[in-house]
Amino acid sequence: LTDHISQWVGEIDLSKYDTIICMEPAAESYIAAQGSFLLNTRLMTANKEEGGIPNPWQKGSAAYVEAAKVIQTAVQQFMQEHVYNK
Protein backbone atom coordinates (compact mmCIF):
# COMPACT_ATOMS: atom_id res chain seq x y z
CA LEU A 1 0.00 0.00 0.00
CA THR A 2 2.93 2.35 0.29
CA ASP A 3 2.89 2.89 -3.49
CA HIS A 4 -0.90 3.23 -3.73
CA ILE A 5 -2.25 6.66 -4.57
CA SER A 6 -5.99 7.00 -4.85
CA GLN A 7 -7.40 9.20 -7.57
CA TRP A 8 -10.80 10.74 -8.09
CA VAL A 9 -12.44 9.20 -11.12
CA GLY A 10 -12.75 12.63 -12.75
CA GLU A 11 -8.94 12.72 -13.13
CA ILE A 12 -8.77 9.62 -15.37
CA ASP A 13 -9.51 9.26 -19.11
CA LEU A 14 -12.14 6.55 -18.80
CA SER A 15 -12.80 6.30 -22.53
CA LYS A 16 -9.82 3.91 -22.75
CA TYR A 17 -11.53 1.18 -20.73
CA ASP A 18 -14.16 -1.42 -21.59
CA THR A 19 -14.85 -2.27 -17.94
CA ILE A 20 -14.97 0.10 -14.99
CA ILE A 21 -15.48 -1.27 -11.49
CA CYS A 22 -16.14 1.49 -8.98
CA MET A 23 -15.45 1.31 -5.27
CA GLU A 24 -18.55 3.28 -4.31
CA PRO A 25 -21.95 4.02 -5.84
CA ALA A 26 -21.24 7.78 -6.01
CA ALA A 27 -18.37 7.14 -8.42
CA GLU A 28 -20.59 4.93 -10.60
CA SER A 29 -23.25 7.64 -10.69
CA TYR A 30 -20.67 10.27 -11.62
CA ILE A 31 -19.31 8.14 -14.46
CA ALA A 32 -22.76 7.25 -15.75
CA ALA A 33 -23.53 10.96 -16.08
CA GLN A 34 -20.42 11.61 -18.20
CA GLY A 35 -21.77 10.72 -21.60
CA SER A 36 -21.81 8.52 -24.62
CA PHE A 37 -18.34 6.98 -24.26
CA LEU A 38 -20.06 4.45 -21.99
CA LEU A 39 -22.00 2.82 -24.84
CA ASN A 40 -19.52 -0.07 -25.01
CA THR A 41 -18.35 0.08 -21.39
CA ARG A 42 -19.33 -2.27 -18.59
CA LEU A 43 -19.89 -0.06 -15.52
CA MET A 44 -20.57 -1.33 -12.02
CA THR A 45 -19.83 -0.87 -8.33
CA ALA A 46 -18.02 -3.65 -6.50
CA ASN A 47 -20.00 -4.98 -3.55
CA LYS A 48 -22.85 -2.66 -4.54
CA GLU A 49 -25.42 -4.50 -2.42
CA GLU A 50 -23.42 -3.47 0.68
CA GLY A 51 -22.73 0.10 -0.47
CA GLY A 52 -19.43 -0.59 -2.24
CA ILE A 53 -15.98 -1.27 -0.84
CA PRO A 54 -15.59 -0.06 2.76
CA ASN A 55 -13.18 2.87 2.95
CA PRO A 56 -10.34 1.92 5.32
CA TRP A 57 -8.74 5.38 5.36
CA GLN A 58 -7.52 6.22 8.89
CA LYS A 59 -9.20 3.16 10.41
CA GLY A 60 -6.12 1.04 10.99
CA SER A 61 -4.63 -2.03 9.40
CA ALA A 62 -7.58 -4.30 10.23
CA ALA A 63 -9.82 -2.07 8.12
CA TYR A 64 -7.40 -2.41 5.18
CA VAL A 65 -7.41 -6.19 5.56
CA GLU A 66 -11.21 -6.21 5.56
CA ALA A 67 -11.38 -3.94 2.50
CA ALA A 68 -8.91 -6.22 0.69
CA LYS A 69 -11.10 -9.24 1.44
CA VAL A 70 -14.17 -7.46 0.07
CA ILE A 71 -12.24 -6.44 -3.06
CA GLN A 72 -11.01 -10.01 -3.56
CA THR A 73 -14.54 -11.38 -3.28
CA ALA A 74 -15.89 -8.72 -5.66
CA VAL A 75 -13.19 -9.45 -8.26
CA GLN A 76 -13.83 -13.19 -8.04
CA GLN A 77 -17.56 -12.58 -8.50
CA PHE A 78 -16.94 -10.29 -11.47
CA MET A 79 -14.63 -12.83 -13.12
CA GLN A 80 -17.15 -15.62 -12.63
CA GLU A 81 -20.05 -13.61 -14.02
CA HIS A 82 -18.36 -11.70 -16.84
CA VAL A 83 -15.24 -13.57 -17.91
CA TYR A 84 -15.62 -17.29 -17.24
CA ASN A 85 -19.35 -17.52 -18.07
CA LYS A 86 -19.21 -15.91 -21.51
Side-chain angles (χ1 to χ4, degrees):
L1 289 174
T2 57
D3 293 334
H4 173 73
I5 299 172
S6 64
Q7 289 182 296
W8 171 240
V9 70
E11 298 172 350
I12 303 167
D13 179 5
L14 298 175
S15 66
K16 298 177 182 180
Y17 303 96
D18 63 0
T19 302
I20 301 169
I21 304 174
C22 301
M23 299 294 109
E24 58 186 34
E28 182 180 356
S29 296
Y30 174 84
I31 294 168
Q34 296 308 302
S36 62
F37 79 88
L38 290 171
L39 292 176
N40 296 313
T41 303
R42 185 180 297 128
L43 176 64
M44 65 194 71
T45 297
N47 195 38
K48 190 172 188 170
E49 62 280 354
E50 299 293 327
I53 303 299
N55 186 351
W57 176 247
Q58 296 184 334
K59 295 178 183 170
S61 61
Y64 280 92
V65 170
E66 181 59 30
K69 288 178 184 177
V70 174
I71 291 168
Q72 181 177 13
T73 299
V75 169
Q76 289 172 338
Q77 180 180 353
F78 170 82
M79 295 297 289
Q80 187 63 40
E81 293 174 4
H82 299 283
V83 176
Y84 301 132
N85 284 337
K86 281 189 168 185

